Structures are given as structure tokens and as C-alpha cells.
Amino acid sequence: MGTQFQAYRAIAATRITPDKWHAARDAVKEVVDRFGALVELADPQAMATAEWTVVDTAAHVASVAWLNTAAVVSDDTPLPMPGIREHIAAATVDTIHTGLNPALLHVYTERDPGMVVSKLRASIDEILRVTATADPTRTLSWLGGSCIPLAGLVAHLTNELLLHGHDIARAVDLPWRIPHEYAAQFFELFLIEIARNGLGHILDDDRRVHQGRIAVEFRSAYTSPVTMVLDTGDVWIEEPSRDNDVRVYFKPADLSLVLFHRVPRAKAALSGALRVWGRRPWLLAPFLRKVRMP
């Protein structure tokens, strides 16, 4: 009875529409141009993160894009980099920084900034060419046995460019813009859709499982209202309802920076970019301990 109820409650409308698919394609083209120009201006040896230089960071994004040129064709298309498939299958949000990401940089050895940017641009051009007439709701196997739609993969690429562009720009004191419209694509087309289509074991960890249901409704000026539910370790998507425990208003660019640990949650809340209320707002903390980004 419980399983049947959960399956019923899991039904929620996809956020993918033809207009959003076209907008996602336009976004990745615009951002890769800005990202490439940024990398070519920056000191390649400046430290963009604690572990990666500017050119390492650009090489990471290029390797992800190159990998996705095979993913958009089919799940069984040979990957352009050997030895990576097992890392993809084993990945979780907690192990990606010690597993898949170092493996990609080990296999993709190019560190000349111009060549890295050229590979990145060519890979995104190839993805857009291959998917020009594709169904954006078609699902692809992804990290940790999860499933994402084609539109989600493109939105994820845009997010990679935006976040790592933020890291590079901050390191070399250059301007960088994360449009709310683009961050909203990541939220709706990737985050919501991966939970709709199947998370696999990407959120697996050894922490104590919170018992019971937590329903968190997300609202912004750039997205359709939606509820994400965590129930004793399982995650799914519902349409908003009166029994939501927590309601979150967010500005999409700020939420992305918070989720990926670039901006403290308290700072975003003080600025008004995140507002939390509801009948049990304290449940947002255990929710975010499970539903988290790398």
C-alpha cells in the first residue's frame, strides 16, 4: 500500500517544454563563448580553486563536455576517454571529487589554454548538432546509475560553465555574470528532472537516514512552483500542496552558488535571495543533508 501511494505521489509534470529546450540550447552557446574568452584572458596558472589552476578548471569543463558528446548519442556509445565508464557508474556526490573528476583530468592531458577552449567549443558544437532534432525528454544514463533527460544534460553543461567561470573570474579579478534565467534552467531541467527520472545511488552515504516525510516547496520568479519530497531516504517530485513542510523562495543564481558551496547559506538568506518559511521550516536542515550537491 505504501509503495503504491509513493508511486502515485511521485507523479509530477515535467518542466521541459519546447521553449525551455530552445532556451537551454541558446544559453549553453552564449555561456561557452563567454567562458572561452575568460579563460583566454586569465593567467592559466592562477589558482581558481584550492586544487585547480585556471587551465585545470577549464580542462575539467572541456573533459565533461567531450564525454557528453558520446552520452547524447546513446548509453552504449563508446566514450572518448578510456577507463572512465566505471568511475561514472560508481560516482556519488561525496566521491566525485576523489573519483571521476581526477580520472577525467588524468586522461584528458591537454593544458594549453587555447587548445582546451577549442576542445570545449568543438564538443558543445557537436552536442548541439547531434541533438538538433532530438526529443529533449529522452533520458540518458548518468552518474551513479541516475537518469537525466537530454535537456537536463545541456542545462548541466551550462551550469558547469557558469560555476567554474565564477571560480576563474574570482581568482583573476575579472567580472562574471550568472543570469537567473540560466540558473533556473539548471534547477528545473536538471535538478527537478533527475529526481523525477531516477537518482540511482548518487545521493548514497553512510549517514543516519532521517525517518519520515519532508516536503519542500520551491518558488522563484523564474520557475514553476514545485515540491521535492524526501521520505526515509527516498526522493521524488510532486506538485505543490497544502501539506508541504517547508517553503523556499529563491533567486536561482544565488541558490546555485549556495548549493555548490560558493556562497554561505546565511549570506544568501541575509540578502533576501533565499527565504524560508512554512509549518516545519526546521526540517530544511535534514533535507539538505541528504539532497545535496558535490
Side-chain angles (χ1 to χ4, degrees):
M1 180 69 175
T3 302
Q4 292 175 344
F5 177 72
Q6 176 176 317
Y8 172 75
R9 293 300 293 266
I11 296 173
T14 181
R15 269 50 186 172
I16 301 171
T17 65
D19 285 347
K20 289 180 181 178
W21 172 230
H22 293 310
R25 294 171 63 83
D26 289 343
V28 76
K29 287 188 287 187
E30 190 272 332
V31 181
V32 74
D33 285 344
R34 284 200 287 126
F35 184 89
L38 175 67
V39 172
E40 289 166 343
L41 278 173
D43 175 359
Q45 298 308 315
M47 296 305 296
T49 71
E51 297 180 350
W52 290 349
T53 64
V54 165
V55 73
D56 289 335
T57 303
H60 163 73
V61 181
S63 68
V64 171
W66 191 22
L67 198 64
N68 284 338
T69 61
V72 297
V73 177
S74 71
D75 288 344
D76 56 3
T77 297
L79 300 180
M81 288 172 278
I84 294 299
R85 197 174 292 277
E86 55 265 35
H87 290 286
I88 293 173
T92 71
V93 295
D94 294 334
T95 65
I96 194 169
H97 290 310
T98 56
L100 177 60
N101 285 350
L104 287 173
L105 287 179
H106 177 73
V107 175
Y108 180 60
T109 58
E110 182 61 68
R111 293 298 183 273
D112 175 84
M115 296 298 291
V116 170
V117 169
S118 179
K119 171 61 75 176
L120 173 61
R121 291 181 189 274
S123 296
I124 289 180
D125 285 346
E126 177 68 5
I127 289 167
L128 294 174
R129 184 190 68 79
V130 169
T131 61
T133 60
D135 177 1
T137 67
R138 174 171 64 88
T139 56
L140 320 168
S141 295
W142 205 63
L143 306 185
S146 60
C147 292
I148 60 170
L150 190 55
L153 181 141
V154 172
H156 177 267
L157 269 177
T158 301
N159 191 65
E160 285 283 298
L161 291 161
L162 289 170
L163 284 179
H164 292 299
H166 168 84
D167 295 338
I168 292 170
R170 183 177 55 181
V172 298
D173 197 26
L174 288 171
W176 184 250
R177 183 173 57 91
I178 301 180
H180 289 302
E181 293 87 349
Y182 294 176
Q185 292 171 4
F186 176 74
F187 178 81
E188 288 199 304
L189 305 184
F190 177 80
L191 282 182
I192 296 305
E193 293 295 326
I194 193 175
R196 287 183 71 251
N197 287 284
L199 287 162
H201 59 257
I202 197 168
L203 294 181
D204 285 4
D205 57 38
D206 296 327
R207 301 178 184 89
R208 181 179 64 85
V209 175
H210 181 276
Q211 300 298 305
R213 171 184 165 94
I214 305 174
V216 181
E217 179 182 316
F218 291 91
R219 289 181 175 269
S220 84
Y222 300 86
T223 59
S224 301
V226 68
T227 293
M228 187 175 291
V229 177
L230 170 66
D231 194 344
T232 316
D234 293 327
V235 179
W236 66 88
I237 301 300
E238 298 177 1
E239 299 297 340
S241 61
R242 292 182 178 180
D243 66 348
N244 289 337
D245 300 292
V246 186
R247 287 180 166 82
V248 177
Y249 168 82
F250 66 98
K251 293 181 179 179
D254 300 85
L255 179 64
S256 185
L257 291 170
V258 168
L259 290 176
F260 285 92
H261 318 293
R262 267 63 173 187
V263 170
R265 200 182 307 168
K267 181 177 179 181
L270 286 171
S271 73
L274 291 178
R275 300 203 300 267
V276 178
W277 74 101
R279 62 191 185 113
R280 297 196 291 175
W282 58 88
L283 290 178
L284 184 62
F287 177 89
L288 290 176
R289 281 197 292 271
K290 184 68 175 179
V291 182
R292 65 204 187 282
M293 298 294 111

